[in-house]
Structures are given as C-alpha cells and as structure tokens.
C-alpha cells in the first residue's frame, strides 16, 4: 500500500492536449426571431400600508421582567429607526382577589384570600410602514418572556372615500 502511494506521489498525472487544432462551431447559425407575447400581464403594484400609530400594551405579573421587556422593545425600535413617542406604566397594579373557605363543610369564619396583581406598560410608536411593523412585531413577539402578554393596536392611514371628497367647483 505504501509503495502505491509513493508511486502516486512521485508521478503526478498532468493532462496536456496533444494538438491545439480545435475547431469551434458557432452556437447558432440561423437567425432567431423574437415574438412578442400576445397577452399583456397586468402589473399591479401592491402599496405598503402606512400606520399612523402602533400601540403596544404589555401585561405581566413581575414588574421587573415587564420593565426589562419594555426597554428591549424601545431599544429594538430605535435600532430599526422607529420613532417611539411614549413609553409609560400605570402607577398601581390591577388587583384581583379571590376569597375561599379553608374547610369546605364547616368553619365559615375561616377564610383565605388570594390576590393576583397584573402590571401594565405601554409603548406608542409612530409613522410605520407595514413591512417595518411586521418585522418589528415578529421580532418582539419571538422574544416575549414568560408571564408577559402583548396586545398590539394598529391605527392605519387610509385614503378618503370618494363620497367624502368635496365636489368640483366650476
């Protein structure tokens, strides 16, 4: 086996053409006629949506996680060049209390109260295109931490209907 490897290394195979008299034939000799298509393909350009404002409402049970996530959303918006107009939180958490009896059958006086606190944060973004908005929302939704919820409200700019425009004055 070693003898074969040494022979292989000692005598490299180099391909050299024996003659340089190659005849090249043309790719095509007949003239080619180009026919125009008979049907016109309708070219419709779909315009991107414009949003006047996008409102993000974040809910969570841990205020520190919610604050960190809102910072992340604002930082991601600034990297994409999105204008953040407002970012704030409610002063107090929303409390939901449930009162239960300790014992089901007796001791009506002995009760236990459970409380669930929900914290809110809001972020308002202005002047977005549809593609930028979709990209941004997908990115922040994929990085949504556990225990947090996100509600998005979009306010879209639309063209005025024809029946609202003023009539032409002659």
């Amino acid at each position: 086996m070693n003898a074969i490897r040494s022979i292989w290394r000692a005598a490299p195979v180099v391909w050299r053409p024996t003659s340089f008299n190659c005849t090249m034939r043309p790719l095509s000799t007949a003239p080619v006629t180009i026919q125009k298509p008979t049907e016109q393909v309708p070219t419709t350009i779909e315009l991107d949506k414009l949003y006047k404002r996008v409102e993000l409402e974040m809910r969570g049970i841990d205020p520190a996680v919610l604050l960190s996530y809102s910072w992340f959303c604002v930082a991601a918006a600034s990297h994409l060049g999105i204008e953040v107009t407002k970012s704030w939180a409610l002063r107090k958490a929303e409390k939901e209390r449930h009162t239960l009896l300790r014992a089901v059958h007796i001791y009506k006086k002995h009760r236990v109260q459970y409380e669930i606190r929900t914290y809110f944060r809001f972020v308002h973004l202005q002047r977005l295109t549809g593609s930028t908005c979709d990209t941004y929302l997908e990115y922040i939704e994929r990085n949504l931490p556990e225990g947090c919820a996100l509600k998005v409200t979009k306010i879209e700019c639309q063209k005025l209907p024809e029946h609202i425009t003023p009539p032409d004055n002659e």
Side-chain angles (χ1 to χ4, degrees), residues 32-57:
V32 178
T33 58
I34 299 173
Q35 294 178 350
K36 293 183 180 178
T38 56
E39 289 185 27
Q40 291 289 337
V41 179
T43 56
T44 57
I45 300 171
E46 187 176 327
L47 298 176
D48 209 1
K49 292 181 180 179
L50 295 176
Y51 294 108
K52 180 180 179 182
R53 187 179 340 150
V54 176
E55 301 170 356
L56 305 176
E57 178 185 325

Side-chain angles (χ1 to χ4, degrees), residues 93-111:
E94 187 179 277
K95 296 176 185 176
E96 186 180 336
R97 289 194 178 115
H98 298 285
T99 306
L100 300 173
L101 292 173
R102 277 191 185 175
V104 180
H105 302 292
I106 55 173
Y107 305 116
K108 190 174 180 180
K109 293 180 184 178
H110 302 286
R111 296 174 182 256

